[in-house]
Amino acid sequence: MFDRRREAGFALTTALMLIALLMVLLTAYSLVGRVELSTTRATMDMTRGFFAAEAGLNLRADELHQIFVGYNVPDGETPPVSPGVLPCSDVDQGAGDFECRAHEFQRRDVRTLVVDDPTNPTNIVVPRGEQFQNLTAIEYSYGVRAATVGRYDAPEALVEMRMHSRLIPMFQFAVFYNKDLEILPGPNMSLNGAVHTNGDLYLDSGFTLTINGQITSAGDLFHGRKENNGCTGTARAYDPAAPRNLPTCAGRVEVTDPSPWNGMIQTDVDPVTVPSPDTFAPTPGAIYWDKADLRLVLNVNVAPPAVQVRNVDGSTDAARSTTLATCFDSGNRVARRVGNFYNNREATLIQLLDVNARGLLNCVHSNSLLELGRGIDDTTEGGLVLYLTVEGPASGGQNNYGVRVRNGAALASTVAGAPAIRGLTVVSDQAVYIRGDYNSTNKKPASFLGDSINVLSNAWSDATSTQPLTNRVATVTTINAAFLGGTDVTGGAEGTAGRDAGEYNGGLENYPRFHEDWASRNFNYNGSFVSLGVPQHADGPWIYGGPYYTAPTRNWAYDTDFNDPANLPPLSPRFVYIRQDLFARAWEL
């Protein structure tokens, strides 16, 4: 006989077992879900932490970069960095530019620090195949570390970057432009050195233009002209095997495939950061003003206009100004005002601060006129830095002001026992005029940095500056100095906006502004051409012929002495770029 009670008990037991099994499964599923959720959350935390740490890394790297852009070098003390220890958890947080910093990204705390390399700095030659190959760079190396701190003060992500800041002097280029660059000479011309532009590059010639150095352009490279669709001659670029012509053309043609030149032509490269115009301003805080050994100002706001020696804070040093006024050379003051110089390009008389280079060196040596009692053999910035300017109601805009340096064939004092100078850089925010031979005897590292650069031959006379061009005949003149100055813009605009718009700016071949009849006469030049923008104070357009000028025979060369950093002019302008050779994520301390 079937026992119903027994059957019911068995069913109940089975049901209970099934319920228990289901509860176990539900519990396991819940645990798995929680583990997966926890794992997903942890993964998301680590991912977010990684990106936050990377942001902190990039921030510190950019801070280092900006220090170099400002003509300074990072300084400080690296905090302790120990294996197995969370960065910046030590009592010692370091100091200065290398110290531990706290940041917040994506609601996460990020700690960053910089590890200095004890071998800093080193001089390197940029390796073959890289942008700016074969140039000498001053390299500083750093390790940058970042950690994202999550729950319970535990690290979510640890990242590290190994970076190199490379400082390359602009005067190591035969030509360096921060704008469109046009090299379009009529006669044959050779440039032996590197050429770089942060804009487009146009190459052509009435005959043959040859560039024997690496060409780098942040824009496009063309065989032909910018102001019109012209292409008349041969342009050749360096190839390790042999110079190779750019494509032939009846009209302007773009060089779209630089590979046949084996790395010696590189287009569409990253533009480099260059000094801003404020760098050269005559104001306290501006680098060249602050670092100058002597600041001379022609003040036309006073009657009569006076040449004054200024302190770094902009105030007039009355004692040194009086001493300077007592220095004479051949019956003339060493630094004086000239008002009878006529500039035909600007169509105006120019008020000049006129400086006798040799007389000034004599005066400075005999009277201790330099900052902080320095001598003319000072090497603080690699040599002497002289700031010249004109202060007047129109100093900040278009004006008829300028500074001129003469009697500089030998950059040396003639006072018995005077030491030799290390080098000389002349800086001005106004138009610069160089009269006669400069640095042609016993050459020293030298440069001119100005709003525009003007060359006057050994035969120049202010008395004939208002007369026809036939009365302003140049004689052979030699200048050994790097140039940094403003240049006009073809078509009134950089890039495609100025293309085919007429109004040629004169090109590199007319970078120095001439004011005489130079026909069949040599202008011998050894140096480097740098242009970072347009002139701020001289707006006369480039015009060739009478009554303006005729071109010289351009016996020009890049000064290969600049390849050695020890031979660069004092306080040479430079650009900075970052090279990264390591980016790593650490998965454990």
Side-chain angles (χ1 to χ4, degrees):
M1 183 176 175
F2 183 72
D3 190 341
R4 293 183 178 274
R5 286 179 296 176
R6 188 174 183 181
E7 180 181 3
F10 178 77
L12 178 61
T13 301
T14 301
L16 291 173
M17 291 177 63
L18 289 174
I19 291 172
L21 178 60
L22 182 60
M23 291 182 66
V24 169
L25 291 174
L26 288 173
T27 301
Y29 180 79
S30 176
L31 287 172
V32 169
R34 274 183 285 185
V35 168
E36 289 183 350
L37 180 61
S38 178
T39 301
T40 301
R41 183 179 297 159
T43 301
M44 291 178 64
D45 285 344
M46 291 180 67
T47 300
R48 290 171 179 166
F50 169 77
F51 287 121
E54 185 180 25
L57 206 66
N58 291 330
L59 178 63
R60 286 303 290 270
D62 184 65
E63 287 178 0
L64 291 175
H65 177 68
Q66 294 305 318
I67 291 171
F68 285 106
V69 170
Y71 280 72
N72 294 303
V73 175
D75 184 44
E77 179 183 343
T78 298
V81 180
S82 305
V85 178
L86 184 67
C88 298
S89 59
D90 196 279
V91 174
D92 185 353
Q93 296 287 293
D97 298 313
F98 306 143
E99 67 183 2
C100 289
R101 304 265 178 88
H103 317 272
E104 183 176 334
F105 299 101
Q106 298 180 344
R107 299 181 181 177
R108 278 166 167 73
D109 294 328
V110 179
R111 302 172 185 175
T112 65
L113 61 88
V114 176
V115 181
D116 189 19
D117 189 323
T119 65
N120 285 332
T122 58
N123 288 339
I124 69 162
V125 175
V126 179
R128 179 72 184 275
E130 292 187 16
Q131 187 178 347
F132 311 124
Q133 62 184 353
N134 302 323
L135 297 181
T136 299
I138 303 170
E139 183 175 81
Y140 291 80
S141 300
Y142 301 97
V144 185
R145 300 187 181 186
T148 308
V149 182
R151 297 181 180 86
Y152 312 111
D153 206 30
E156 289 181 334
L158 298 169
V159 291
E160 180 177 1
M161 175 191 297
R162 182 70 177 175
M163 58 171 284
H164 308 280
S165 285
R166 289 180 178 172
L167 314 181
I168 296 185
M170 295 178 189
F171 292 151
Q172 284 197 351
F173 292 80
V175 187
F176 184 102
Y177 269 46
N178 189 39
K179 55 203 293 291
D180 288 350
L181 168 59
E182 298 145 88
I183 310 178
L184 311 167
N188 291 329
M189 184 177 186
S190 293
L191 286 172
N192 298 318
V195 173
H196 174 79
T197 173
N198 272 347
D200 293 328
L201 177 59
Y202 299 83
L203 303 177
D204 197 20
S205 171
F207 289 89
T208 300
L209 168 66
T210 303
I211 297 180
N212 294 312
Q214 187 184 38
I215 296 172
T216 51
S217 171
D220 299 321
L221 168 62
F222 297 93
H223 183 193
R225 306 182 70 89
K226 177 183 177 181
E227 84 277 14
N228 60 50
N229 191 29
C231 183
T232 57
T234 300
R236 314 179 74 188
Y238 179 75
D239 181 315
R244 183 186 298 271
N245 292 348
L246 270 60
T248 57
C249 56
R252 181 180 57 237
V253 61
E254 182 179 352
V255 179
T256 56
D257 179 17
S259 60
W261 285 269
N262 294 302
M264 296 306 294
I265 294 179
Q266 297 183 23
T267 57
D268 297 319
V269 302
D270 291 334
V272 295
T273 304
V274 301
S276 68
D278 292 344
T279 304
F280 310 100
T283 55
I287 294 164
Y288 283 90
W289 177 267
D290 284 358
K291 293 182 179 291
D293 295 287
L294 183 64
R295 305 168 200 87
L296 300 185
V297 177
L298 172 61
N299 187 351
V300 298
N301 288 322
V302 298
V307 178
Q308 300 169 339
V309 177
R310 294 290 176 88
N311 299 311
V312 69
D313 63 3
S315 63
T316 299
D317 189 313
R320 287 196 292 166
S321 298
T322 299
T323 300
L324 179 71
T326 64
C327 290
F328 290 83
D329 186 274
S330 300
N332 295 316
R333 286 188 176 181
V334 164
R336 58 178 183 160
R337 173 179 177 260
V338 170
N340 61 338
F341 171 94
Y342 188 79
N343 183 321
N344 284 273
R345 177 168 176 169
E346 300 298 323
T348 185
L349 286 168
I350 304 296
Q351 296 198 64
L352 286 176
L353 167 60
D354 186 74
V355 174
N356 180 328
R358 176 170 292 182
L360 181 63
L361 289 174
N362 288 340
C363 183
V364 166
H365 172 69
S366 300
N367 297 281
S368 301
L369 291 182
L370 300 182
E371 288 286 303
L372 304 175
R374 298 169 185 166
I376 63 172
D377 56 346
D378 178 67
T379 60
T380 304
E381 301 297 340
L384 297 179
V385 178
L386 176 63
Y387 199 106
L388 308 177
T389 189
V390 180
E391 184 178 281
S395 293
Q398 299 298 324
N399 60 45
N400 64 337
Y401 304 154
V403 301
R404 182 167 67 186
V405 178
R406 57 186 174 87
N407 196 18
L411 298 180
S413 169
T414 57
V415 176
I421 70 169
R422 168 65 183 80
L424 177 61
T425 289
V426 177
V427 189
S428 181
D429 62 317
Q430 303 296 329
V432 169
Y433 298 81
I434 308 157
R435 178 179 173 182
D437 290 342
Y438 189 84
N439 199 25
S440 56
T441 301
N442 192 22
K443 182 165 73 75
K444 302 290 185 182
S447 64
F448 285 94
L449 286 62
D451 186 59
S452 60
I453 306 294
N454 298 259
V455 171
L456 308 172
S457 81
N458 285 304
W460 177 263
S461 170
D462 290 345
T464 61
S465 61
T466 58
Q467 297 178 13
L469 185 61
T470 53
N471 293 343
R472 306 196 312 273
V473 179
T475 56
V476 175
T477 300
T478 299
I479 294 178
N480 294 317
F483 288 165
L484 183 151
T487 53
D488 292 340
V489 178
T490 293
E494 305 291 348
T496 56
R499 198 174 297 161
D500 298 322
E503 299 177 9
Y504 180 44
N505 74 344
L508 175 72
E509 62 273 19
N510 292 294
Y511 175 109
R513 299 182 173 198
F514 299 106
H515 302 266
E516 299 163 90
D517 179 6
W518 284 85
S520 302
R521 295 168 182 85
N522 278 11
F523 170 45
N524 304 314
Y525 175 77
N526 196 41
S528 168
F529 295 104
V530 175
S531 179
L532 302 183
V534 300
Q536 301 298 305
H537 308 301
D539 61 353
W542 173 77
I543 302 176
Y544 185 77
Y548 308 100
Y549 79 103
T550 58
T553 299
R554 301 178 181 92
N555 183 23
W556 295 359
Y558 165 67
D559 191 341
T560 56
D561 285 348
F562 294 161
N563 291 337
D564 182 350
N567 294 326
L568 285 164
L571 203 60
S572 286
R574 67 201 188 190
F575 66 86
V576 186
Y577 76 100
I578 299 295
R579 183 166 181 82
Q580 176 185 316
D581 64 8
L582 170 70
F583 178 81
R585 180 175 185 178
W587 296 98
E588 59 183 19
L589 291 177

